[in-house]
Amino acid sequence: MPPRSDQAVIETPPACGDALGLAAMLTASEQDVARMMQICNACRYCEGFCAVFPAMTRRLEFGKADVHYLANLCHNCGACLHACQYAPPHEFAVNVPQAMAKVRVQTYQDYAWPRAMGQLYRRAGLSVALALAGGLSLFMVLAVAMSGRLIHQPLAGNFYAIFPHNFLAVVFSSVFLFAILALCIGVTRFWREVSPTRDVVSEDRFAIAAARLPATAEAVSDVATLRYLGGGHGEGCNEEDDGFTLLRRYFHQFTLYGFLLCFAATSVATLYHYLFGWEAPYPWISLPVILGSLGGAGLLLGPAGLLWLNLRRDPQHGDSAQHGMDRGFIALLFLISATGFALLVLRDTRFMALWLAIHLGTVMALFLTMPYGKFAHGVFRSAALLKYTIEKRLPNRLASGGE
Amino acid sequence: MSSSGDPDVLVIGGGNAALCAALMAREAGASVLILESAPRAWRGGNSMHVRNLRCMHDAPQDVLVEAYPEEEFWQDLLKVTGGLTNEGLARLVIRHSSRCRPWMRRHGVHFQPPLSGALHVARTNAFFMGGGKALVNAYYRSARNLGVRIRYETPVKSLEIADGRFKAAITEAGERITAKSCVLACGGFESNLEWQREAWGQNERGEWPAENFLIRGTRYNQGVLLKFMIDAGADTIGDPTQAHCVAIDARAPLYDGGICTRIDCVSLGVVVNRDGQRFYDEGEDFWPKRYAIWGRLVAQQPGQTAWSIIDRKAVGRFMPPVFEGTRAGTLEDLAQKIGLDPVPFMDTMRAYNTACRVGTFDHTTLDDCHTEELSPAKTHWALPIDAPPFYAYPLRPGITFTYLGMRTDRTAAVHFGGAPSVNLFAAGEMMAGNVLGKGYTAGVGMSIGTAFGRIAGVNAAQSAGFAHPEFKEEFAYAAAL
């Protein structure tokens, strides 16, 4: 019998099954998740917190696809870390939120489209975001300045005197549509990987078909309410310690709905322009301005709150290497809103062109970084939630300890 | 209370019972100081490894289905302890468990329906969301919010007691802390390997069995104050070799392996000892009803070790183990790989396989698959072990907690020569032996710790001159016989 104390640390990821040759295929971060999931699957105390653990109990082994699926289900709420009897300083060193976060950024990289662009995630950071926003704004400002219209007589908010409408429409919609396309291609590839159709048992096909509608409704509701930032008991997630708070959920909702309202404002304005021929500027009491202002308020409050929480968060949560990406995205959203409000307030003054150029530069920076930055988390997590809401409606083929 | 002055109530220990006592004493208005020997990261003793509370209930109660009446709970306890229990105290614990959860919720504990793989206790046990560490965290937060002072890394080595009255506690560092009353809730002696060795002694093979035990929980339950109290003449209860003892994976760490190191495939295969022999009916009853006897069974084997052997048919039918099993394509190879002599091992396996009378296998009932003319028999779920790959999981005894403790009564008072102390109380593992003379049933440790923790806290506050505003009625219900 070998000395037992030497064996205390699980050195190889047991779940990867060397015999299956899976270990070789997993990266270090993926192996870490697989190792922890094997420990969690033998414990299961955290099953009530979120979707990750119920999804885990349907599996015995954690291959690459399972690891990426579970990692994207994780909302990094921190509940399972603070509740974990195996968390550091325990030699098992289980820190699920951190391990999952490290895999998530790999998901974004691996499934980026075009693939080579996945490298950009490594550079996604606060300084890149700010430099890009600053650079593009400066470029726009200089472009306007060269035409001699940077400081001008008040134009009653006529943006198109500065940048022709068609120019804006073509440039911004093409970049935005590219971002959407890139994310769609990425998430489709992710979906095919985590839900391989070849493994589906034939009787499950009917169950999947029947589950599709209610599963989609549940997934949409889980995203819309940010259910899994509720901690399982509805009191919220952990921030700086083991206490719970709903602040992250609220600030995230301000951000999400702020973004959607701004998008709605732009869409309504586009309809006004092309359908009715009503051109900007729109009066203060008009649908685009009201939607945009509400959205903008959300994008000031939400990101500011998220940044404040991000700075105070227990360093054990998440992956500190990704703080730059998180904060860069937060900063861009905040700046878009701030410059948008500045433009709204100053649109009747001589400084409209200046603020228009800065605002457009910031928006362009967001669009350009959307498929290669933190924005992707919402897309991949929604897909993982949908997979979960379908999967939980299928019969569990494991009968582990169910007597 | 000033931030540094001595408290009205001193609570020694930092797990569930200690926290219940501290919260109740504070609710009564007393100033309270908790001395936890562990650093903050390891606070909570064995409570950080628990997962549920066994609860009496006469009708469905939020997360609890159906009913689990007092009498059934009592009969379950009587059965597992073989009568080594105190009916009055046991019924007090049982009745208390039916009404204590609203108080637990008020202090931040969340309950949830049973975990997957634990549905067999859906009726009897209320699960803590996130397990015991989440509960411990909630109680510490609540204690802090109520103004309870907490000192970590402050082990106490002795008490000053005069005529059965608590005077002061002396810490390892030599600090003297006085208080009007004191609650001792600092665990059994399970982590003290030297004491375990001495208690279990030497067997007929010349082995010291306890040298091969693993401790499933905290490393901080060294039994320092338990030993001190025994030496100081406190009335004791229980046998030092009685403990919650289960068969766990031999590769588990020496301390704090917790729940995940258990091996749940015993009833699906056979278990052989170091000599390649079977030694007990693996299919005697449902595993959740049998796991707590296998620790002692393995402790009686040579080398205090054994191996659970299964084949492919069992995979996916039991809670996945934390350590990968040793895997082989043939049983001979398996024996080689785990270091057993293949000759007796293969004899055992062949004898078992040919003795299997396979009917309709059903792991959810006591099915009709059994052995014939085999000793020991396997009375249920006996399928031949013939489908490769084969797996072996090494077993060792895992001690959860020891039952030797201080004799007490309904007030939780420590007794000296049959007389209760007026200001020294005990709770949790230090007195659980009053209710659990031997054996175990899931979640009852928390039922005992919560009941006597709260009672000790209230009585310690009372002794210091503070009456708890609400507990009287709850206690009267629990204590009525």
Side-chain angles (χ1 to χ4, degrees), chain B residues 306-357:
Chain B
W307 284 265
S308 170
I309 312 289
I310 57 168
D311 68 2
R312 191 185 63 222
K313 297 194 293 293
V315 173
R317 291 186 178 278
F318 60 97
M319 280 285 279
V322 67
F323 297 102
E324 201 84 335
T326 302
R327 173 185 159 127
T330 65
L331 286 168
E332 287 89 343
D333 278 356
L334 193 65
Q336 299 276 6
K337 281 188 172 176
I338 58 179
L340 294 187
D341 182 348
V343 177
F345 176 77
M346 287 309 296
D347 287 347
T348 299
M349 298 308 290
R350 268 191 293 270
Y352 167 76
N353 281 351
T354 41
C356 284
R357 299 290 173 269

Side-chain angles (χ1 to χ4, degrees), chain A residues 76-84 87-89 94-99 101 237-245 248 306-323 326-327, chain B residues 40-41 43 133 137 141 144:
Chain A
N76 193 27
C77 78
C80 65
L81 171 68
H82 292 284
C84 185
V94 172
N95 182 341
V96 172
Q98 191 167 76
C237 40
N238 299 100
E239 294 297 337
E240 70 269 38
D241 59 22
D242 59 71
F244 304 106
T245 168
R248 194 182 334 166
L306 287 175
L307 180 64
W308 176 66
L309 290 174
N310 188 290
L311 293 169
R312 286 155 36 103
R313 192 161 303 154
D314 185 325
Q316 288 194 92
H317 292 197
D319 173 14
S320 57
Q322 291 168 44
H323 281 163
D326 299 344
R327 291 169 192 170
Chain B
R40 191 188 183 285
R43 70 184 181 183
K133 195 166 169 186
N137 287 343
R141 281 199 305 277
R144 192 185 57 200

Side-chain angles (χ1 to χ4, degrees), chain A residues 356-379:
Chain A
L356 180 64
I358 293 172
H359 181 60
L360 290 176
T362 317
V363 173
M364 183 57 86
L366 176 75
F367 285 5
L368 283 171
T369 55
M370 257 168 70
Y372 313 112
K374 183 71 180 181
F375 186 85
H377 81 283
V379 179

